[in-house]
Amino acid sequence: MLRARTLLVAAALAALAFAPGAFAQSVDTTTTTAPAAAPLPPASGPALQGLWLTTSFPLRVVRVGDPLNLDLTLQNRGLPPTRVELSVANLPAGWGREIDGGGSVIGAAMVSPDSTQPLTLKLVPSADTKTNTPYDLQVIGKTDTGTLTLPIQVVFLEAKPDAVTVVPKLPALRGTPTSAFDFDVDVKNDSAADQTFNLVADGPAGFQVTFAEQYGTQQLTSIPIKAGETKSLKVSVKLPQDIAAGQYQVAVQAASPKAQAATPLVLDVTGQPTFDLNAPEGRLSGNATAGKESTFKLTLHNSGTAPAADVKFNATAPTGWKVEFEPKELATIDAGQDVDLSINMTPPDNAIAGDYMVAISASGGGAYQSTSYRVTVLTSTLWGVAGLGIIGAAVIVLAAAVTRYGRR
């Protein structure tokens, strides 16, 4: 009897130890200084078993015209492979629907043991669909042993107004009048329907603006864009060569009969020097004497829109020629300024009479200009006198020889 009582007390204590509520109460009533022990986790229940048809979002709120796609999930826990035929109940008249699985339209799905099968329900409401009115639908899954029912509710809001956005990736570019100003512009159709947008640019007089797809070369005047789609365009702006330095704006617009939007593109033109080399009277030729220095005059004109710094001069002349510039170089030449140049040329002493070409160039600040100067070389008069003397001496020698030997 004593042994039986002892076993009964031990069993009672063991039961109390594994009862979470009793254990927590015992700690609270008998211990005031020690921290309370965390309750033991509940014993795990039996494993789930069955077939489920679920969705993460059973209530959907969408705008009229927006795509209406609902993700569905078939789940099999512990059952043999099961074939489930799918349908939609309570579908309003005029609505279209399809259930997709694995990239194809399906009417039934097979779900393996302990696996899930993702599906998509696509709905196309009719044109007379009411807004702010709940539509209660049911997705039905039938098996050989029963029926699965998934209630779904859809509420439609007013269709968003037709709209288009035009956004440049870089709204401002800097360069010279000869630079390539190419802007990347995104055009998005924020409407519920596909539209074709005309492309228009408004800029200062003389600006040439063209549109093309970002990686295309064909010029565009309009572009079709699907609902919700974005297309990237390349907007190229060509400037007139005589444009002054400054900031300029070109407004780019995408417009359809239902929506339009525009964005400004900023061109920061820094200006560029341009050189012209001319003779005072327009004559790029002159005479020089072999062995003597001759001076020729040229004028350097900056016809550009910005000053040029560190201007240097160079000449390419025949071998043995000496060419010097005065001034030798310029620290700067302002836009519209003229500078007179003196070019000193000295042909070699033994230069043969004739025409020679000397290439003259000026460069600085990104500008460059060259011209050809024709120089006619005349032989020195001293050489002419010496030549006559030699000829005369030869005649005297010849006459003496004839006189002396002719008598024999």
Side-chain angles (χ1 to χ4, degrees), residues 36-51:
L40 297 175
S44 60
L48 293 176
Q49 187 178 39
L51 188 67

Side-chain angles (χ1 to χ4, degrees), residues 131-189:
T131 58
N132 301 315
T133 299
Y135 288 86
D136 296 312
L137 313 178
Q138 289 183 343
V139 182
I140 307 298
K142 291 185 178 181
T143 69
D144 293 339
T145 58
T147 301
L148 304 173
T149 301
L150 174 62
I152 292 176
Q153 191 174 75
V154 181
V155 178
F156 292 92
L157 303 179
E158 292 286 346
K160 60 183 178 181
D162 293 312
V164 58
T165 57
V166 182
V167 180
K169 294 181 179 178
L170 293 175
L173 296 177
R174 173 178 293 178
T176 66
T178 58
S179 299
F181 288 88
D182 294 331
F183 295 86
D184 292 329
V185 178
D186 290 337
V187 180
K188 182 180 181 182
N189 181 6

